[in-house]
């Protein structure tokens, strides 16, 4: 998964009101490591990329 793909998921989930995660602005790497965790300001917890993808699938993201 690329950083652009992940950012699209983050925007989708923010619009749906499910997560409040800041977008990634990383220039060095095009691919994202699935072991990385991002902070969700809505739940005040860290969430893994795998969990973000699963949440987007459950919410009906059209490209998953």
């Amino acid at each position: 998964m690329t950083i652009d793909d992940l950012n699209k998921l983050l925007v989708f989930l923010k619009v749906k009101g499910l997560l409040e995660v800041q977008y990634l602005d990383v220039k060095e790497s095009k691919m994202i490591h699935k072991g990385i965790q991002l902070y969700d300001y809505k739940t005040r917890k860290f969430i893994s990329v795998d969990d973000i993808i699963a949440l987007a699938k459950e919410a009906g993201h059209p490209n998953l």
Side-chain angles (χ1 to χ4, degrees), residues 4-5 12 14 22 33-35 41 44 49 53 56 62-63:
D4 289 337
D5 293 336
F12 175 80
K14 186 172 184 174
Q22 291 184 354
H33 299 283
K34 290 202 176 191
Y41 291 94
R44 296 184 179 147
V49 172
I53 293 168
N63 294 331

Side-chain angles (χ1 to χ4, degrees), residues 6 10 19 21-22 24 32-40 45-52:
L6 181 60
L10 294 175
L19 287 181
V21 177
Q22 291 184 354
L24 295 178
I32 193 80
H33 299 283
K34 290 202 176 191
I36 198 170
Q37 293 189 339
L38 303 173
Y39 188 76
D40 176 27
K45 296 179 181 177
F46 284 94
I47 186 168
S48 70
V49 172
D50 289 335
D51 291 339
I52 291 170

Side-chain angles (χ1 to χ4, degrees), residues 1-20:
M1 170 174 279
T2 66
I3 292 173
D4 289 337
D5 293 336
L6 181 60
N7 282 336
K8 290 175 187 175
L9 292 181
L10 294 175
V11 169
F12 175 80
L13 293 170
K14 186 172 184 174
V15 168
K16 290 277 192 175
L18 299 173
L19 287 181
E20 186 84 25

